[in-house]
Amino acid sequence: MAQIIIDKQNGELAFRLERFENLNQFDHLQRKNYYSIILLNASNYKLSVDLSNYELQGYQMICLSPYQPFMISSEERCQGWLLNFHPDFFCTYRHQNEIETEGVLFNNFHGLPHFQISEEGLLFNLIDQISKEMDRDSIAQHEVLVAFLKVFLIEAVRQKKQFDKEIVPKFSDGQSEILQNLVDSIEKNYCELHSPKDYADVLCISTKTLAGIVKKYLQQTPSDLISNRIVIAAKRELYLTSKPLKQIAAGLGYYDEFYFSRFFKKKVGVSPDNYRKTVGFAKLERL
């Protein structure tokens, strides 16, 4: 049964915790205008995120940003927990210096959207505490839930970073060095360089070789990596500032705001204007 808190100002979902026994609600491609964290346990299941597919098993945490398309399917029985929170309920950007969720759990343009967790431990104890607090409906409930959520996210970030360290040895050949150089170059130049050829030239390799390396390690294309990083930057500007779209687009190297709007909608599923309205608008300016 789902435990839900609704934002009294707009009637939209603010916070949700649900124990589920099957994948019925995840068996179709969907996009939500809030963060989703799924703790899922099964022998074998398939995860699709941003058109990339993953074969998973055991207890995994899946972290999804607002409007990130995903679906989960399995022929076996699956069970777990679903945690949703809207940016209005808890602003991850505002607490980035404390928790470091952005770029680790969420909006990681080159990393995996999932990681293996221990079946026992702090995460499940916190879920139990969150559930009990939601049943209480007592004074300062929002503050208590945010405190629990912050600790939950901190523990998740710690486990995700440890997971990332453990899979690094798998990428220890020369090609992985090229991949890391690509990631670093995109992070440095995404506002100016938008095509795979640009980055192939920077790395002094062919576009075909670059595409093969990215596919091998990340199951993506170089174009996906570049556009994902641009979209992450655009989302942040739309969420945190009141800048007009034309200014945001120009800052990212797009001087035709209508072209950029189409690009954003194709990647995110909604227009920049709708994203700003449904996810957030100039939050830091109002806090």
Side-chain angles (χ1 to χ4, degrees):
M1 181 177 178
Q3 298 169 282
I4 301 175
I5 296 176
I6 300 298
D7 189 320
K8 295 179 180 179
Q9 293 185 343
N10 57 29
E12 298 292 334
L13 182 143
F15 191 80
R16 169 181 173 147
L17 179 66
E18 179 182 356
R19 172 75 173 174
F20 60 85
E21 300 293 337
N22 58 65
L23 296 178
N24 292 346
Q25 63 179 306
F26 307 120
D27 64 3
H28 57 284
L29 195 64
Q30 55 193 286
R31 302 170 187 260
K32 305 297 185 181
N33 69 326
Y34 39 74
Y35 290 96
S36 296
I37 297 176
I38 303 169
L39 286 76
L40 180 58
N41 185 29
S43 298
N44 293 283
Y45 47 101
K46 297 178 180 179
L47 168 67
S48 176
V49 179
D50 290 325
L51 303 181
S52 293
N53 299 309
Y54 308 91
E55 300 277 347
L56 305 180
Q57 60 183 1
Y59 243 120
Q60 300 272 346
M61 178 181 287
I62 302 164
C63 301
L64 303 156
S65 304
Y67 286 112
Q68 191 168 17
F70 77 97
M71 66 178 293
I72 311 172
S73 61
S74 178
E75 297 180 357
E76 303 177 7
R77 182 174 180 269
C78 300
Q79 60 182 359
W81 289 94
L82 169 64
L83 177 66
N84 301 127
F85 63 95
H86 192 278
D88 282 341
F89 183 86
F90 180 76
C91 176
T92 58
Y93 290 112
R94 186 185 182 193
H95 298 277
Q96 176 64 7
N97 290 336
E98 308 165 36
I99 306 178
E100 300 180 32
T101 55
E102 299 303 314
V104 179
L105 300 181
F106 310 113
N107 293 317
N108 185 340
F109 76 98
H110 59 85
L112 297 172
H114 65 87
F115 60 99
Q116 193 161 11
I117 61 174
S118 171
E119 187 172 347
E120 304 296 334
L122 180 57
L123 291 174
F124 292 93
N125 291 335
L126 286 166
I127 285 177
D128 184 57
Q129 293 299 316
I130 290 171
S131 179
K132 290 178 180 178
E133 180 61 29
M134 293 183 76
D135 282 339
R136 292 180 67 186
D137 191 24
S138 187
I139 184 172
Q141 184 186 61
H142 177 272
E143 286 72 18
V144 173
L145 289 175
V146 165
F148 281 138
L149 179 59
K150 288 175 70 174
V151 177
F152 181 93
L153 292 174
I154 289 170
E155 177 63 16
V157 167
R158 288 173 175 174
Q159 292 198 28
K160 177 62 161 59
K161 287 187 173 183
Q162 182 60 39
F163 174 81
D164 289 342
K165 288 181 180 179
E166 291 173 356
I167 66 172
V168 166
K170 298 180 182 179
F171 304 154
S172 59
D173 58 23
Q175 289 186 340
S176 66
E177 182 178 353
I178 294 175
L179 180 63
Q180 186 59 58
N181 289 338
L182 171 64
V183 169
D184 293 342
S185 185
I186 291 175
E187 187 64 39
K188 181 180 179 181
N189 300 297
Y190 67 86
C191 293
E192 294 84 26
L193 304 182
H194 295 165
S195 76
K197 186 179 184 306
D198 292 332
Y199 292 95
D201 291 345
V202 170
L203 299 175
C204 300
I205 60 175
S206 70
T207 54
K208 183 177 180 180
T209 298
L210 183 63
I213 293 173
V214 173
K215 179 66 175 178
K216 175 182 177 181
Y217 289 116
L218 301 180
Q219 294 79 52
Q220 298 186 56
T221 68
S223 293
D224 289 334
L225 285 183
I226 299 163
S227 59
N228 287 345
R229 184 62 186 91
I230 293 168
V231 166
I232 287 170
K235 285 179 177 179
R236 189 178 190 281
E237 291 296 295
L238 290 167
Y239 183 87
L240 292 178
T241 78
S242 57
K243 294 178 184 177
L245 180 60
K246 183 175 182 179
Q247 184 179 351
I248 293 174
L252 294 171
Y254 294 85
Y255 297 98
D256 183 340
E257 66 176 293
F258 300 105
Y259 175 85
F260 180 77
S261 182
R262 292 192 297 271
F263 161 78
F264 185 93
K265 185 174 183 179
K266 182 179 179 180
K267 291 292 296 182
V268 180
V270 295
S271 68
D273 184 56
N274 281 337
Y275 182 88
R276 176 170 265 171
K277 288 178 180 177
T278 57
V279 174
F281 175 67
K283 298 298 180 184
L284 288 186
E285 294 180 6
R286 301 190 312 202
L287 291 171

